[in-house]
Amino acid sequence: MAEERTDDIRGEARGSAPVPLSVLDLATVGVGHTAAEALRTSVRLVRLAEQRGLTRHWVAEHHSMPGVASSSPAVILAHLAARTERIRLGSGGVMLPNHAPLVIAEQFGTLEALAPGRIDLGLGRAPGTDGATAAALRRTDDLHEGADTFPQQLAELVRFLDDDFPDGHRYARIHAVPGPVQGGDGGRPPVWLLGSSGFSARLAGSLGLPFAFAHHFSAANTLPALDLYRESFRPSAVLSEPYALIGVSALAADDEAEARRQVLTGALAMLRLRTGRPGLVPTPEEAENHPFHAAEREFVDGWLRNVVHGTPGAVRDGLDALVKRTGADELMLTANAHTPQARLRSLTLIADAYDLPQL
């Protein structure tokens, strides 16, 4: 693996935030809105994040979900790169088993050429969708094969990124372009591993890579996974010590009642997704009037317990407590709300609560 600068991976805490803050963007689409609007909101969101000094803005890969417009992270990231100057941009993540490693090396080599030193390549092994859609993406019904061979796919991808297949390898004469073969300085996007369980935590630790954990939908596994990552960590050319980021659902509003109204829309959208009925993010009115039966209410209440929401001060307190409890090195905030305005307002209020600068 080519040597990378550790300080290109680590974020910088600003204002009074205890750790660096970043954004995870799903380009959510609410009822009455369109995917085009959601993608325009992504531009507004990344510009706001850059203006307030957040560290990075990642885009997640999802498929066949009407309420999520981020099916093609590399395309979106190229669009965002052309409209920003400083903030790091990345995938949170690319689901590697859905793609040939060479394709991802080419896509992210292109992004690195377009925005040198600003691109992160976050990788996951889940399909980011349901089984039928995953089969359509991978052209196979054996979905376990991709997940089981993830370490081999990862190793192949890194070889393509570094252009260092050994002599005699069947891919030794294949080059990911743009990439080191053009005679540049050898720089390439840092690789992160993403996970919601222990598999990627252990793999990231053993390879000395930075690790991003999906606390926002797998909160019960957060502490065990982070412990496993730190216990498994081996220093590398990338990192001398562990660096763990966690994704956090967080939404601030001007008052507690409004925050509750907004996060309930995301909870209902997740309930429908988990029960095989994905759709657009409902309006607050629809969510408030939904006739939840007992099992649905239990799910929603459990989901909302892991969403940090309320007034700006309450959200700040909740995020600070989460950092203290987990020892996370960075928080990546995501807000699944019905309207673009709610997401933008939330980020502004959180930035204000931490006295983040206006850059």
Side-chain angles (χ1 to χ4, degrees):
M1 181 179 293
E3 185 169 347
E4 301 167 10
R5 290 174 50 195
T6 300
D7 59 356
D8 284 344
I9 293 174
R10 295 182 180 275
E12 177 185 351
R14 297 181 181 271
S16 57
V19 296
L21 302 178
S22 296
V23 171
L24 176 62
D25 185 4
L26 275 64
T28 50
V29 187
V31 171
H33 298 274
T34 66
E37 288 179 89
L39 295 172
R40 288 194 293 270
T41 299
S42 291
V43 174
R44 296 172 65 191
L45 194 65
V46 73
R47 285 176 167 169
L48 174 60
E50 180 172 73
Q51 180 186 23
R52 300 307 299 268
L54 275 73
T55 295
R56 63 190 98 237
H57 184 108
W58 282 2
V59 178
E61 177 185 343
H62 293 84
H63 299 279
S64 195
M65 297 181 187
V68 179
S70 58
S71 59
S72 186
V75 176
I76 298 172
L77 292 171
H79 186 67
L80 300 183
R83 286 153 179 81
T84 54
E85 297 178 356
R86 300 177 304 274
I87 193 168
R88 294 196 67 88
L89 302 167
S91 54
V94 162
M95 301 296 106
L96 186 55
N98 293 344
H99 312 276
L102 175 58
V103 171
I104 300 305
E106 290 174 335
Q107 289 178 352
F108 279 77
T110 301
L111 288 168
E112 179 68 19
L114 292 170
R118 291 206 290 136
I119 303 300
D120 297 323
L121 175 50
L123 301 167
R125 69 186 187 110
T129 187
D130 61 272
T133 306
L137 284 165
R138 302 178 186 182
R139 310 301 297 170
T140 178
D141 292 327
D142 184 3
L143 302 184
H144 294 293
E145 179 182 355
D148 293 343
T149 60
F150 179 78
Q152 291 74 32
Q153 292 175 311
L154 172 63
E156 183 178 308
L157 171 59
V158 170
R159 290 283 192 184
F160 277 124
L161 288 170
D162 292 337
D163 196 39
D164 69 351
F165 282 102
D167 291 341
H169 194 283
R170 62 175 178 163
Y171 296 153
R173 298 180 63 184
I174 300 174
H175 309 287
V177 179
V181 71
Q182 279 76 45
D185 61 7
R188 61 137 167 106
V191 170
W192 293 66
L193 293 193
L194 280 60
S196 58
S197 64
F199 181 92
S200 291
R202 187 187 299 276
L203 183 60
S206 68
L207 296 175
L209 295 176
F211 178 55
F213 186 79
H215 173 81
H216 55 297
F217 65 79
S218 188
N221 292 326
T222 301
L223 293 180
L226 294 183
D227 287 344
L228 184 58
Y229 169 60
R230 293 166 183 143
E231 292 166 2
S232 304
F233 186 83
R234 299 293 180 268
S236 69
V238 180
L239 286 174
S240 59
E241 57 187 26
Y243 191 83
L245 171 159
I246 61 173
V248 185
S249 288
L251 189 138
D254 293 289
D255 61 70
E256 185 175 349
E258 179 60 19
R260 172 76 183 188
R261 290 180 75 243
Q262 293 296 336
V263 297
L264 188 60
T265 67
L268 178 55
M270 182 56 63
L271 171 66
R272 289 171 171 169
L273 176 64
R274 291 287 178 88
T275 53
R277 299 170 293 150
L280 302 178
V281 179
T283 66
E285 293 73 22
E286 181 182 355
E288 286 180 321
N289 294 322
H290 182 81
F292 294 100
H293 58 65
E296 290 179 333
R297 174 56 63 186
E298 182 179 2
F299 174 88
V300 166
D301 288 345
W303 181 263
L304 292 178
R305 278 194 293 272
N306 294 309
V307 179
V308 183
H309 63 283
T311 62
V315 170
R316 172 177 170 161
D317 290 345
L319 294 176
D320 288 352
L322 185 60
V323 170
K324 185 176 181 179
R325 187 166 73 251
T326 64
D329 298 295
E330 185 173 334
L331 297 182
M332 180 162 275
L333 311 178
T334 186
N336 189 8
H338 171 254
T339 64
Q341 291 77 14
R343 297 173 64 209
L344 292 162
R345 179 63 176 162
S346 174
L347 186 59
T348 297
L349 291 174
I350 293 172
D352 288 345
Y354 279 114
D355 300 316
L356 298 189
Q358 295 270 0
L359 300 179

